[in-house]
Amino acid sequence: MSVIVQKYGGSSVADLERLGRVADRVASTRREGHEVVVVVSAMGKTTDQLLALAREVSSEAPRRELDMLLSVGERTTMALVAIALHARGLDAISFTGSQSGIITNDRHFDARIIEVRPFRIEDELSRGRVVIVAGYQGMSYRREITTLGRGGSDTTAVALAAALAAERCEIYSDVDGVYTADPRVVPGARHLPELGHPELQEMAEAGARVLNAEAVEFARRQRIAIYARKTGDRHPGARETVVREGAPREASGVRAVVGDAQVAWLRGPGGALEALLQAADGAQVPLRELHTDGRSFAALVPLARVSDWPRARGLFAACGVSADEALGLVSVVGDGLTREGNVVASVLAGARAVGGGVEALWTSPFRVSALVPRAYLDPVTRWLHARWCEAPAPA
Ligand code: ASP
Ligand code: MG
């Protein structure tokens, strides 16, 4: 029998009615004859609410205790889905991350999976049970409870799909797959029926809220096919995005335009760089696009990955490093972009056209990214999408 991993995001289980519909869908997949592992997120905005609670108690909550608290969200969902499946006459059992054998490093709030030992899941599948797994959490090799970073249930799902040699990994959310831009920002965004792992990974790393970047990296390394679907879409022919190895490329190098408003831009004198690196390491703040000419340096912080930004910002200020939070990052994603000098030129032209200007810019074959004033982020994103991803109207 083939194993199918299905992951349901927070909005798909936001209330009991929706959770019931998820149980219906799981039940029908099981009755089609598949072995089913279901990875669930916390209900609705639960994770945000738990974080807010912790911050009300203290602005300096220890990361270990944050993980103890946040892991509760997914645990609630897993038990409720298992109960709902029993009510539908299916034998189901729920497991926490640690019971599922998700072993991580010992970094709290943003842990990495280092090994998966899914023995208990395999046993239960062979007994004919549906297994429900709490996403976003694991256990460190020191037996501490850890969480995998925001959106980490995707990573749980892909890691389990790999460890179980699943036929595929289905990711259900409130959108029917991946688009050439965020449709909430760019009305003309096009649905992408097929995509390669590297392109999706670039989009995720550029800050697209599609799939967790680590999850895509995992899927790429382990060659797992991902099917991104909308939870309610059950009819045959419903739209989906299939992410797999060797997906055909489009003729144009540009595939998508991504905007990320959650960034901070650090700058300081060259002499402060080592102190900053130490502070960032201590506060577990990831630094991107770090560069220095000796006299000064700059680096980008992806704020979604930082558990306590006000505290980190204070530590950085004490090192003489400033943090600009009034900028946004726009990225053009594709393949062979540095061969086409006009992608870079278009980013400069787009920023100028909307009146913003560019604070900094980087190029790689797969991505051209620029920092622009945050107020111009959405207009530049729309401008670049119209330039590269929308067919000109027929004459
Ligand atoms: N509940 C976690 C979050 O909101 C993990 C996830 O949804 O994947 O980030
Ligand atoms: Mg969530």
Side-chain angles (χ1 to χ4, degrees), residues 41-42 47 74 136 150-153:
S41 289
T47 307
E74 272 70 12
Y136 173 59
R150 298 308 304 269
S153 299

Side-chain angles (χ1 to χ4, degrees), residues 38 79 92 124 170 172 180 222 270 277 309 366 392:
V38 182
E124 296 299 339
E170 301 172 349
Y172 291 94
T180 49
Q222 312 274 345
L277 291 175
W309 170 242
F366 309 103

Side-chain angles (χ1 to χ4, degrees), residues 45-64:
K45 300 258 170 260
T46 302
T47 307
D48 290 326
Q49 286 157 0
L50 291 171
L51 258 178
L53 265 185
R55 283 185 181 142
E56 255 182 66
V57 177
S58 163
S59 61
E60 294 194 6
R63 297 166 73 98
R64 176 188 186 278

